[in-house]
């Protein structure tokens, strides 16, 4: 067993850097022996149950899945970011007052629709309930898509609640306004009713609550953390009615309108706080588990379905591949592809789109990868995009070697290691959303950029893959050996 372990470590130490392969082949072709092998991997569908809920894409709505005839619903919680260099007019300049008390002329929450990524009829009405949280969610905690803020006591009793009925096409604006260049459809909920804070103080509206605290408690506006913890913990956006729309929100803003005087002129201003990657957004997904389980039990293929639906598990023939490998060989190439099956009803306009990008990762990293905001490295974690109806992975050699070494070293430590680690040679295919670069420009003109982590896909997607327990997937391996 010790000899096997040394052999495994020697194999693992071989690099898969192929930058110099071309030169080697052209200059030393007589000294390089190439051999190939074809192996089989088995696949099956597994129920996702829930996914890591911290997400930078917000989807809202409820639709019927044409594949399962069951329903999927997305709701979410969002906080609002307060920029650290926020500068407001001097208190004496504020013109919006009742007596000597500062008030907001109006307050609204705006929802910007990313219509290119929305699903459903643009004229189908949906009903949303905006519900104030009673405390900020813990930014260090781990939330999954089955987390329910209502059941967990996060909704403030007697707090702000407001209903909004909207359609993706906002026909409250005139045609001329909607035809303006760069026009974006939005939903707007006005929150101008009197508002009572936790201390019992009543304000003319929620915006007045924000403004008065800016001048009375500037320490609340030091940064987004103090703002969320002391003043505005966020809102839960609950679906209460409507079917047939899944709206992607490209941006959510809390807007407070007010007036101030400067140089003897009245200036109409708006304080805009946006839900951004610097603060917490979590999604709640409700799926019909029975409908998903019917698909999971289908052995004629496998499925990828989002949000929080179905993943495809792959059992890799690690032992078989490494048994054909010798100490002085290395894995020049290990590749496999997953062919997508076309829909049985390809002309149905309500079919969910196939995921454009999927992640392949070891099954034991299925949750920690997203929780720890890891990225793909093409050693243990790989991505593939849909091209020519396939998801192709072309460089899995490091993964195969790593799994083999883990097994050998594990057995050396514990003869029952394989029984205790039944998933040691398994990977999972997961629909994902690729990272995005976000640029923020401050009032002073400086800009900062940040990149969102890879996240589970929260939008609607679904596809069938060739495979299943009775249809193995082919793995092509190229071994190289210097003579």
């Amino acid at each position: 067993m010790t000899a096997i372990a040394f052999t495994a470590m020697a194999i693992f130490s071989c690099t898969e850097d192929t930058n110099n392969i071309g030169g080697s082949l052209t200059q030393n072709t007589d000294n390089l022996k190439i051999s190939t092998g074809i192996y089989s991997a088995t696949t099956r569908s597994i129920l996702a149950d829930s996914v890591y809920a911290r997400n930078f894409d917000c989807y809202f709505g409820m639709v019927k899945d044409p594949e399962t005839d069951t329903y999927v619903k997305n709701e979410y919680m969002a906080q609002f970011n307060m920029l650290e260099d926020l500068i407001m007019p001097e208190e004496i300049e504020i013109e919006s007052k009742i007596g000597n008390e500062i008030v907001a002329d109006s307050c609204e929450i705006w929802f910007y629709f990313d219509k290119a990524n929305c699903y459903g009829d643009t004229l189908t009405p949906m009903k949303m309930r905006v519900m104030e949280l009673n405390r900020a969610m813990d930014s260090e905690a781990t939330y999954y898509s089955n987390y329910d803020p209502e059941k967990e006591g996060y909704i403030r009793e007697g707090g702000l609640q407001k209903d909004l009925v909207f359609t993706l096409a906002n026909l409250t604006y005139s045609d001329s306004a909607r035809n303006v260049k760069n026009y974006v459809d939005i939903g707007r909920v006005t929150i101008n009713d009197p508002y009572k804070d936790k201390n019992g103080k009543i304000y003319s509206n929620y915006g007045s609550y924000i403004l008065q605290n800016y001048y009375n408690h500037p320490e609340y506006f030091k940064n987004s953390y103090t703002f969320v913890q002391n003043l505005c913990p966020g809102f839960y956006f609950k679906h209460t009615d409507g079917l047939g729309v899944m709206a992607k929100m490209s941006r959510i803003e809390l807007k407070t309108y007010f007036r101030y005087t400067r140089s003897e002129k009245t200036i109409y201003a708006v304080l805009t706080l946006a839900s951004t990657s610097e603060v917490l957004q979590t999604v709640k997904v409700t799926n019909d588990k029975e409908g998903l389980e019917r698909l999971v039990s289908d052995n004629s293929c496998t499925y990828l379905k989002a949000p929080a639906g179905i993943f495809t598990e792959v059992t890799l023939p690690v032992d078989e591949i490494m048994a054909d490998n010798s100490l002085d060989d290395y894995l020049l190439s290990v590749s496999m592809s997953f062919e997508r099956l076309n829909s049985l009803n390809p002309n149905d306009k309500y079919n969910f789109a196939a995921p454009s990008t999927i992640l392949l990762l070891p099954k034991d990293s299925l949750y920690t990868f997203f929780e720890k905001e890891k990225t793909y490295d093409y050693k243990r974690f790989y991505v593939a995009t849909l091209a020519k109806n396939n998801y192709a992975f072309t460089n899995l050699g490091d993964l195969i070697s790593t799994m083999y070494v883990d097994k050998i070293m594990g057995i050396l430590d514990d003869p029952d290691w394989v029984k205790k680690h039944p998933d040691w040679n398994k990977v999972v295919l997961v629909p994902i959303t690729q990272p995005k670069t976000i640029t923020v420009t401050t009032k002073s003109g400086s800009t900062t950029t940040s990149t969102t982590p890879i996240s589970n896909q929260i939008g609607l997607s679904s596809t069938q893959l060739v495979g299943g327990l009775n249809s193995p997937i082919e793995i092509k391996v190229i071994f190289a050996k210097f003579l």
Side-chain angles (χ1 to χ4, degrees), residues 183-233:
Y183 169 82
V184 177
D185 275 304
I186 62 172
R188 300 166 60 183
V189 57
T190 301
I191 46 179
N192 283 337
D193 296 330
Y195 173 76
K196 181 188 290 187
D197 69 11
K198 293 182 179 180
N199 297 319
K201 182 176 179 180
I202 297 176
Y203 301 81
S204 61
N205 57 36
Y206 192 78
S208 300
Y209 166 71
I210 297 293
L211 290 179
Q212 289 185 34
N213 275 280
Y214 176 84
Y215 294 103
N216 294 333
H217 295 282
E219 68 275 14
Y220 294 171
F221 290 79
K222 180 180 179 181
N223 51 46
S224 59
Y225 177 82
T226 57
F227 178 75
V228 168
Q229 293 294 324
N230 295 289
L231 194 63
C232 179

Side-chain angles (χ1 to χ4, degrees), residues 10-11 64 84 229 246 248 279 291 355 359 361 389 398 413 448 466:
I11 294 168
K64 188 174 184 178
E84 293 189 26
Q229 293 294 324
M246 188 64 72
K248 181 180 181 182
V279 288
L359 173 72
L361 75 169
N389 230 30
D398 272 337
D413 186 59
T448 59
V466 172

Side-chain angles (χ1 to χ4, degrees), residues 46 48 144 311 361-371 428 430 456:
I46 59 174
Y144 275 77
F311 301 150
L361 75 169
K363 190 175 181 181
D364 60 7
S365 300
L366 182 57
Y367 298 104
T368 57
F369 178 89
F370 298 100
E371 292 173 5
V428 178
V430 180
N456 291 99

Side-chain angles (χ1 to χ4, degrees), residues 208-324:
S208 300
Y209 166 71
I210 297 293
L211 290 179
Q212 289 185 34
N213 275 280
Y214 176 84
Y215 294 103
N216 294 333
H217 295 282
E219 68 275 14
Y220 294 171
F221 290 79
K222 180 180 179 181
N223 51 46
S224 59
Y225 177 82
T226 57
F227 178 75
V228 168
Q229 293 294 324
N230 295 289
L231 194 63
C232 179
F235 296 90
Y236 179 54
F237 302 94
K238 180 180 180 179
H239 173 273
T240 55
D241 202 2
L243 176 66
V245 167
M246 188 64 72
K248 181 180 181 182
M249 311 297 187
S250 61
R251 189 173 175 85
I252 310 165
E253 294 179 343
L254 175 62
K255 292 179 173 288
T256 299
Y257 301 88
F258 63 98
R259 290 162 287 125
Y260 66 96
T261 303
R262 184 168 293 173
S263 301
E264 299 182 350
K265 292 182 180 179
T266 297
I267 299 174
Y268 292 84
V270 55
L271 170 61
T272 300
L273 305 173
S275 183
T276 68
S277 58
E278 287 78 17
V279 288
L280 188 64
Q281 296 176 175
T282 64
V283 64
K284 179 190 173 190
V285 178
T286 305
N287 266 318
D288 186 309
K289 297 300 183 185
E290 291 185 5
L292 294 176
E293 286 170 352
R294 287 197 298 270
L295 299 187
V296 168
S297 64
D298 180 3
N299 290 324
S300 67
C301 63
T302 65
Y303 290 85
L304 294 175
K305 186 175 284 290
I310 301 175
F311 301 150
T312 288
E313 178 191 277
V314 186
T315 301
L316 298 173
V318 176
D319 284 333
E320 291 86 343
I321 293 173
M322 301 308 291
D324 291 340

Side-chain angles (χ1 to χ4, degrees), residues 123-140:
L123 297 180
T124 298
M126 301 297 289
K127 189 174 182 180
M128 168 195 290
R129 178 161 296 163
V130 180
M131 310 171 73
E132 182 187 7
L133 301 182
N134 63 11
R135 65 186 186 278
M137 299 184 83
D138 185 356
S139 61
E140 301 299 322

